[in-house]
Every structure is written in C-alpha cells, then in structure tokens.
C-alpha cells in the first residue's frame, strides 16, 4: 500500500518495501552482521511455518529495516498474517490483544516499550522473542515449537552456506540462498498441482501425496514440508499456480 503525505515542497509517497525492492533492501541491511547464523536459521524457519515472532531493538530504524529484510527473504512467498514493524505500547489493551493473538504475527517493539509488557501477558502465547540488541532468542514456544522443523542435514547445509556468504561479504546473495532452500518444497507443490485432478473445479493436492514426494527429494524434512504446505502464504502461492495452469 502507498500512503501520500503533503509536506512543504510537494507530495511524498510512503510505502512498505515490496518483493521488487528486496535486492535494494538487502544491500543496505546486512542481516549476517545483526544476527548469528543459528539465530537466522531459527527465525527463518519460524517465518516459513507462520509462527508468532516478536522482535525487540533499541533503535527504531534498525528494528524496522531488519523486519522488512527478513520478510523479504520469504520470496516467492509473501507474509500475509499480522505484520507491525513497530508497535507502540500507547494503547495497552491493543498491545495485550496483539501479543496474545492466536494468529501468526511479525511484530516489532522498542525495548523500552517491551519492558512495560508484563511477563504474564506473554505466558503461553507460543511466541519466539528476538532481542536484536543482545542478539539472543527467548523462545516461549512449547518443546515441539522450539524444535527446528528442518532436519539436521538441512540445518548444517544452511549454516555452511551462510558462513560462506558472511566470509565473502555477499549479504544480497541471501535472497538466492533462501529461494534455493524453498525450491524443492515449492517445486513439488507445483508439479503435483499440474497433475492433480479437479474436484469441484479446483485442483486439489492431497497432503499424503506431497509428503511422499518430499521423502524422495528432502528426506527428514517432512515435518517442515507439512507445516509449510499448511501456511496461508503457501496456499496463496498455490492459488496463483492454479490460476497460471488454468490459463494454459
């Protein structure tokens, strides 16, 4: 969405960075200098599976730019759940309702404001709290939620590739890294969608068929594939694929 504002000297357009801006954004936001490799992998798997993630920072500009950069790495998927890069505690009831929301969210909050959110308000919320200032995670998810849904093989591979990117000072290449990470999962959805029979005019993909495909190409990552397939953003991407197929 674009918001126009009148200022001295003319009208200015303000918009949230979109997928087309991700490369420019990543040139200016080096996530590997702000987050450890393990933190980044944990955060990205949380985002890919539409978990609740609360980010904290002392700096407003650092907070919002980091959130925009992280969500841009979801491409070709797009975060469609609650997204608030900076939440003020000015309206306390609203803050409580948001952080306790059962829906997935990405919310940013200044650390001074976070100190006013009582601990009990986050209890049992299944939220991953990311402290960007201290570079640490406070995982309030249950044991199942805290367990990385990807296999140890995939985790080690990602960590190795991130280490190479940091060594070569190529933060922009992260976009391609995460696209490559997603490719096996999305390509199987795409393939099954093309071959799927129509039910009530819609090409439906049985979860069991998808998981069987994943076992062949990404053994050990069935849990992640199941969670990814069930997300709103994956289903939205799938709808676009169905539309593209129907036109041919």
């Amino acid at each position: 969405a674009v918001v126009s504002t009148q200022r001295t000297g003319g009208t200015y357009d303000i918009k949230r960075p979109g997928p087309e801006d991700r490369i420019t954004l990543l040139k200016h936001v080096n996530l590997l200098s702000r987050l450890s490799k393990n933190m980044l992998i944990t955060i990205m798997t949380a985002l890919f599976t539409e978990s609740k993630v609360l980010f904290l920072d002392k700096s407003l500009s650092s907070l919002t730019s980091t959130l925009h950069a992280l969500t841009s790495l979801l491409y070709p998927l797009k975060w469609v759940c609650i997204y608030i890069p900076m939440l003020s505690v000015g309206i306390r009831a609203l803050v409580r309702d948001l952080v306790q929301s059962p829906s997935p969210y990405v919310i940013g909050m200044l650390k001074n404001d976070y100190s006013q959110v009582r601990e009990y308000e986050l209890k049992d919320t299944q939220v991953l709290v990311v402290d960007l200032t201290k570079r640490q995670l406070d995982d309030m998810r249950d044991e199942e939620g805290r367990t990385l849904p990807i296999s140890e093989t995939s985790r080690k591979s990602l960590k190795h590739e991130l280490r190479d990117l940091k060594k070569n000072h190529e933060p922009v290449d992260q976009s391609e890294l995460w696209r490559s990470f997603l490719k096996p999962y999305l390509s199987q959805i795409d393939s099954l969608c093309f071959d799927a029979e129509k039910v009530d005019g819609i090409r439906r993909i049985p979860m069991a068929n998808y998981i069987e495909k994943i076992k062949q190409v990404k053994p050990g990552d069935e849990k992640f594939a199941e969670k990814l397939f069930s997300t709103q953003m994956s289903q939205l991407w799938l709808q676009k694929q169905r539309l593209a197929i129907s036109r041919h």
Side-chain angles (χ1 to χ4, degrees), residues 77 189 193 202-203 205 231-247:
L77 303 179
I189 296 176
C193 182
I202 299 176
R203 295 176 186 271
I205 302 173
T231 61
Q232 295 180 55
M233 55 186 175
S234 287
Q235 291 303 309
L236 181 62
W237 180 85
L238 178 55
Q239 287 179 24
K240 293 180 179 178
Q241 300 306 105
R242 287 170 175 154
L243 182 60
I245 291 171
S246 67
R247 289 174 176 170

Side-chain angles (χ1 to χ4, degrees), residues 208-219:
N209 292 6
Y210 176 58
I211 297 303
E212 281 302 314
K213 288 281 189 180
I214 293 299
K215 285 181 179 179
Q216 299 172 26
V217 297
K218 296 287 289 185

Side-chain angles (χ1 to χ4, degrees), residues 75-94:
Y75 185 83
L77 303 179
K78 182 179 180 181
W79 185 264
V80 293
C81 303
I82 298 171
Y83 181 77
I84 306 175
M86 212 298 285
L87 176 64
S88 170
V89 296
I91 308 177
R92 190 171 185 81
L94 175 62

